[in-house]
Amino acid sequence: MLSFLFLLLLPYWASAQEQINKRPKKEYLDEAGRLFAPALGYNAFFPTQYDQTGPFHGPAFGFELFNQTIDNDFAPAQFAFFAQFSQLQSLEQSDIRMLLVNFGGRFSFERQLSRRFLLPFFGLELGGVARNDVN
């Protein structure tokens, strides 16, 4: 009788073992990619003329033009292209303001992702600065 129950339950046991040994699906990986994800932040800027104007600080608004995370051996694990705009104000002189505009991208080449945070990346960022007191 016991061997009959064992043979009856053997397919269910094999199916359970297959599920246990299967690599878990990573639900947080969005292989389709995301477009125009918003970003909020706070920036600080220390110019070379630090003694005249002091540091600048202020809120930043940006968005990621495209962001994708892939668990693949032949592609970057995570890559993103972004734009950021900041309206900064001097700490020393409140009438001096600065607009900071940045565009860039970042790439992470880590394989076999096992986390959502603290991904090491390489990036390139280009931008410009405009101040209201300087032409």
Side-chain angles (χ1 to χ4, degrees):
M1 179 70 175
L2 187 59
S3 60
F4 175 74
L5 285 175
F6 178 73
L7 289 175
L8 185 65
L9 297 175
L10 184 63
Y12 297 108
W13 178 78
S15 175
Q17 288 298 319
E18 182 180 323
Q19 291 296 324
I20 289 171
N21 294 332
K22 188 187 289 186
R23 189 172 174 190
K25 185 177 179 186
K26 296 174 182 168
E27 297 293 333
Y28 63 88
L29 294 178
D30 184 13
E31 296 201 7
R34 279 177 249 131
L35 298 172
F36 298 107
L40 294 174
Y42 200 82
N43 278 347
F45 182 76
F46 298 90
T48 56
Q49 305 166 349
Y50 183 81
D51 53 340
Q52 295 174 2
T53 60
F56 289 82
H57 68 100
F61 171 74
F63 53 91
E64 291 188 349
L65 301 169
F66 183 74
N67 183 344
Q68 188 172 23
T69 304
I70 301 174
D71 190 12
N72 189 341
D73 288 339
F74 302 108
Q78 194 266 344
F79 61 95
F81 300 101
F82 60 89
Q84 184 178 11
F85 308 95
S86 302
Q87 179 69 37
L88 307 177
Q89 182 176 358
S90 172
L91 277 176
E92 300 289 328
Q93 301 173 10
S94 62
D95 59 333
I96 299 178
R97 295 188 182 275
M98 176 186 294
L99 176 65
L100 185 62
V101 180
N102 301 330
F103 298 97
R106 63 180 170 268
F107 306 90
S108 175
F109 293 102
E110 184 172 336
R111 294 182 188 210
Q112 303 295 326
L113 286 175
S114 60
R115 62 188 184 284
R116 300 173 139 182
F117 53 90
L118 297 176
L119 293 175
F121 65 88
F122 299 94
L124 177 65
E125 188 172 335
L126 302 171
V129 176
R131 281 180 36 187
N132 66 347
D133 65 329
V134 178
N135 291 334

